[in-house]
């Protein structure tokens, strides 16, 4: 508590310290008059939660995938294009439409916060609140921003290794519409339509698509331990239906309201997993052997809806930029067995109400303050033909306060970003996070020196706390309400050298990530019984 008060007090003093060192500016100005759009369009929102060029984000380690790169890539899904980012790993449970987890700098997928237009899509109903990008297409994506290192100061839990923000398109020019029809391997067919533009005070973008693919079986036909006669030939088909809309209406000169909605509905066929971990199209657990002649209708239906509504305003001649908003993300997963009978259902959602204000007490400082209250909710059901059992039905609220100071000295050659955050978790109480990210541009050499230090925390997921499952009528509890939050400390030091007027850049970065109280599932090797525990 005392450390948090000291850091917060210093952050509030920094603008006035800057004034005493550099003198009062002749004219107090707003961000727009100081801010110059990067000529190459390299604008970053996620690193500071404010709109900045790359030279204004301090020592934050950032990678971008621009709209031009997306257009020229020929890729169709987010999972495909993320592979071009350094330090990023992907793990898939099968073919198209299957679960895809993202890893950064060797950390677990639960340590990466994934956003769509700033709205969290990490699923509260998964075991460790990780994200799944397997059904996200590139049809409506404008750009992707990846911020590496602990970002808990701005984003709270789950941002202990980094933040991935997937930003959708918005209409800026005259109205235009399109229709596309595509086909490809595995008998894949896709229909897509969209419209976007700007009419008076309204900017809009609406995109819809449907994909149908026969897919392929992830059961290996080279595995000699299983029967292949009809048991590895069933294809894991996939259907995806996506709809997204982004609307912004300018109410007055410095006031606008924005609405974002994205809805994805998918159905993907899956394989069984036999004793020993190998994949088959159908495994008979009564006989403990593959059954090539049995039904193979196992599949998962997933629906994810993301909604964001915000009111933005500029007050006092642009000296205060205010955003008041509410975000909601809900995901429902229904699991069906090989007889096409539902046996599991997961419902995870979160509701985040927030306010963010940025003001400019001096020309060298942009101070941002944020408040939020987030409600997480999880429902898990075990389903049989005769009954439905709620194994987990829990929710938790986290209240947060954070402050950040972006400092610009020596004509923005020296940039420092300093922030502090306090989260008040309904179960665990208060947790503090800090971050410092300076950078220095060596004039004339096109060399940028940068560094960052950040702390973070990840609160246990609702499943890690209360998880249980019902099997053959018997309920087993694997959650642990005695868990403590995971803690992290990340460092990185780097140098960036630009060539050919900035068209080519060479980055060299050293990083180190430390994690404490890591939460994992631990089982007895003899009884196979277990649960979630904090590891040393």
């Amino acid at each position: 508590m005392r450390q948090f008060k000291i850091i917060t007090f210093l952050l509030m003093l920094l603008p006035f310290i800057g004034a005493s060192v550099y003198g009062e500016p002749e004219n107090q100005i707003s961000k727009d008059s100081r801010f110059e759009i990067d000529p190459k369009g390299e604008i970053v929102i996620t690193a500071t939660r404010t709109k900045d060029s790359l030279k204004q984000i301090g020592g934050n380690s950032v990678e971008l995938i621009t709209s031009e790169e997306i257009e020229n890539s020929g890729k169709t899904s987010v999972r495909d294009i993320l592979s071009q980012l350094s330090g990023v790993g992907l793990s898939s449970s099968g073919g198209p439409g299957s679960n895809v987890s993202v890893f950064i700098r060797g950390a677990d997928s639960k340590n990466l916060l994934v956003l769509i237009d700033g709205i969290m899509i990490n699923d509260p109903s998964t075991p460790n609140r990780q994200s799944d990008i397997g059904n996200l297409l590139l049809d409506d994506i404008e750009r992707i921003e990846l911020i590496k290192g602990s970002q808990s100061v701005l984003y709270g839990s789950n941002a202990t290794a980094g933040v991935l923000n997937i930003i959708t398109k918005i209409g800026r020019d005259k109205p235009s519409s399109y229709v596309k029809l595509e086909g490809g391997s595995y008998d894949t067919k896709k229909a897509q339509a969209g419209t976007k533009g700007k009419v008076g005070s309204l900017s809009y973008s609406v995109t819809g698509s449907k994909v149908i693919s026969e897919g392929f079986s992830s059961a290996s036909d080279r595995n000699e331990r299983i029967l292949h006669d009809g048991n590895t030939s069933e294809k894991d088909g996939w259907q995806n239906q996506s709809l997204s809309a982004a609307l912004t209406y300018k109410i007055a000169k410095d006031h606008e309201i924005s609405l974002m909605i994205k809805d994805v509905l998918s159905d993907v066929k899956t394989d069984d997993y036999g004793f020993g971990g190998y994949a088959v199209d159908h495994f008979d657990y009564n006989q403990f052997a593959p059954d090539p002649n049995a039904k193979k209708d196992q599949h998962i239906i997933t629906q994810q809806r993301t909604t964001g509504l915000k009111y933005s305003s500029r007050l006092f001649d642009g000296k205060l930029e205010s955003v008041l908003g509410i975000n909601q993300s809900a995901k429902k997963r229904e699991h069906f067995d090989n007889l096409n009978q539902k046996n599991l259902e997961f419902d995870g959602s979160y509701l985040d109400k927030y306010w963010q204000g940025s003001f400019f007490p001096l020309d060298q400082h942009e101070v941002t303050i944020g408040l939020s209250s987030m409600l997480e909710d999880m429902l898990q059901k075990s389903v049989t033909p005769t009954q439905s059992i709620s194994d987990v039905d829990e929710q938790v609220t986290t209240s947060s306060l954070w402050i950040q100071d972006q400092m610009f000295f020596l004509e923005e050659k020296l940039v420092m970003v300093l922030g502090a955050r306090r989260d008040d978790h309904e179960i665990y109480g208060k947790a503090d996070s800090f971050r410092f990210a300076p950078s220095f541009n060596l004039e004339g050499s096109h060399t940028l020196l940068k560094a960052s230090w950040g702390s973070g925390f990840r609160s246990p997921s609702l499943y890690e706390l209360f998880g249980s499952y019902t099997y053959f009528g018997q309920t087993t509890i694997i959650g642990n309400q005695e868990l403590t939050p995971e803690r992290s400390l990340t460092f990185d030091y780097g140098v960036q050298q630009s060539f050919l007027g900035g068209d080519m850049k060479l980055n060299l970065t050293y990083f180190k990530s430390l994690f404490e109280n890591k939460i994992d599932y631990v089982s007895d090797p003899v009884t196979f019984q277990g649960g979630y525990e904090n590891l040393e």
Side-chain angles (χ1 to χ4, degrees), residues 59 65-66 166 287 417 419 421 478 513 523:
I65 302 178
T66 65
I166 302 166
Q287 301 296 325
V417 180
R421 181 188 184 97
I478 59 176
S513 302
S523 63

Side-chain angles (χ1 to χ4, degrees), residues 46-207:
T46 316
T48 59
R49 292 186 66 145
T50 61
K51 190 175 182 180
D52 293 301
S53 68
L54 282 174
K55 68 179 183 179
Q56 294 170 325
I57 60 173
N60 286 294
S61 185
V62 175
E63 281 201 65
L64 306 177
I65 302 178
T66 65
S67 58
E68 182 179 2
E69 290 171 327
I70 292 174
E71 186 70 23
N72 295 333
S73 69
K75 309 292 186 182
T76 59
S77 68
V78 171
R79 64 180 282 183
D80 292 334
I81 203 163
L82 286 182
S83 60
Q84 71 184 50
L85 296 176
S86 63
V88 171
L90 301 171
S91 175
S92 174
S93 61
S98 60
N99 184 284
V100 177
S101 300
V102 188
F103 305 82
I104 180 173
R105 288 183 169 179
D108 294 334
S109 60
K110 64 183 178 180
N111 300 114
L112 177 68
L113 181 67
V114 181
L115 312 171
I116 295 180
D117 289 330
I119 306 171
M120 182 180 80
I121 64 168
N122 291 60
D123 184 0
S125 72
T126 55
N128 54 26
R129 207 192 295 111
Q130 76 269 30
S131 64
D132 171 21
I133 65 166
N135 280 287
L136 294 181
L137 305 179
L138 288 171
D139 302 334
D140 62 336
I141 306 304
E142 175 77 21
R143 59 191 282 111
I144 297 174
E145 300 180 356
L146 175 64
I147 317 299
K148 302 176 182 179
S150 177
Q151 306 296 323
S152 287
V153 163
L154 295 182
Y155 296 98
S157 185
N158 278 86
T160 48
V163 174
L164 178 71
N165 194 6
I166 302 166
I167 300 171
T168 60
K169 296 177 181 178
I170 185 67
R172 297 183 179 88
D173 304 314
K174 64 181 182 179
S176 62
S177 302
Y178 68 91
V179 175
K180 290 182 180 180
L181 297 175
E182 301 177 56
S185 56
Y186 306 112
D187 197 20
T188 301
K189 296 177 285 290
K190 179 180 179 181
Q192 177 190 347
T195 181
K196 65 177 181 177
K198 185 175 182 181
V199 180
S201 299
L202 176 66
S203 298
Y204 65 92
S205 177
V206 181
T207 303

Side-chain angles (χ1 to χ4, degrees), residues 280-325:
V280 294
D281 286 338
H282 187 114
F283 188 85
D284 188 332
Y285 288 92
N286 293 318
Q287 301 296 325
F288 258 82
D291 188 348
N293 302 311
K295 293 189 67 175
K296 306 177 182 68
D297 289 333
Q298 184 167 284
H299 64 113
I300 301 173
I301 296 177
T302 303
Q303 181 172 13
Q304 177 157 357
R305 177 168 294 166
T306 307
T307 308
L309 177 65
K310 67 180 180 180
Y311 167 65
S312 306
S313 60
R314 295 167 57 87
L315 307 171
F316 309 112
D317 295 326
K319 295 180 177 65
L320 172 64
E321 297 180 355
S322 172
V323 180
L324 179 65

Side-chain angles (χ1 to χ4, degrees), residues 478-499:
I478 59 176
N480 181 1
Q481 298 181 43
E482 301 300 320
L483 293 172
T484 58
E486 296 180 352
R487 300 282 180 172
S488 71
L489 189 62
T490 64
F491 312 84
D492 59 63
Y493 311 89
V495 57
Q496 175 182 291
Q497 184 65 52
S498 298
F499 305 94

Side-chain angles (χ1 to χ4, degrees), residues 413 439-450 494-499 506:
K413 295 182 183 64
S439 68
F440 187 75
N441 193 343
L442 299 178
E443 187 175 8
S445 64
H446 305 291
T447 304
L448 179 68
L449 305 177
K450 56 184 181 178
V495 57
Q496 175 182 291
Q497 184 65 52
S498 298
F499 305 94
L506 175 64

Side-chain angles (χ1 to χ4, degrees), residues 351-404:
L351 181 68
D352 184 24
K353 295 170 285 187
Y354 68 94
W355 173 82
Q356 175 180 310
S358 297
F359 62 98
F360 312 89
L362 297 171
D363 189 30
Q364 293 90 6
H365 295 262
E366 178 179 354
V367 177
T368 307
I369 298 175
L371 303 168
S372 72
S373 176
M374 185 178 74
L375 174 67
E376 284 185 83
D377 190 278
M378 175 188 178
L379 173 64
Q380 175 190 317
K381 294 180 182 179
S382 294
V383 183
T384 68
T386 58
Q387 64 179 336
S388 176
I389 302 172
S390 294
D391 293 316
V392 183
D393 188 2
E394 299 288 345
Q395 62 182 30
V396 67
T397 300
T398 304
S399 300
S400 306
L401 163 67
W402 55 269
I403 182 172
Q404 172 185 264

Side-chain angles (χ1 to χ4, degrees), residues 453-501:
W453 303 269
S455 66
F457 86 102
R458 190 190 76 89
S459 61
S461 69
L462 289 171
Y463 191 83
E464 290 167 338
L465 290 171
F466 305 104
S468 68
Y469 63 90
T470 301
Y471 190 66
F472 289 113
Q474 182 176 352
T475 300
T476 301
I477 298 175
I478 59 176
N480 181 1
Q481 298 181 43
E482 301 300 320
L483 293 172
T484 58
E486 296 180 352
R487 300 282 180 172
S488 71
L489 189 62
T490 64
F491 312 84
D492 59 63
Y493 311 89
V495 57
Q496 175 182 291
Q497 184 65 52
S498 298
F499 305 94
L500 303 176

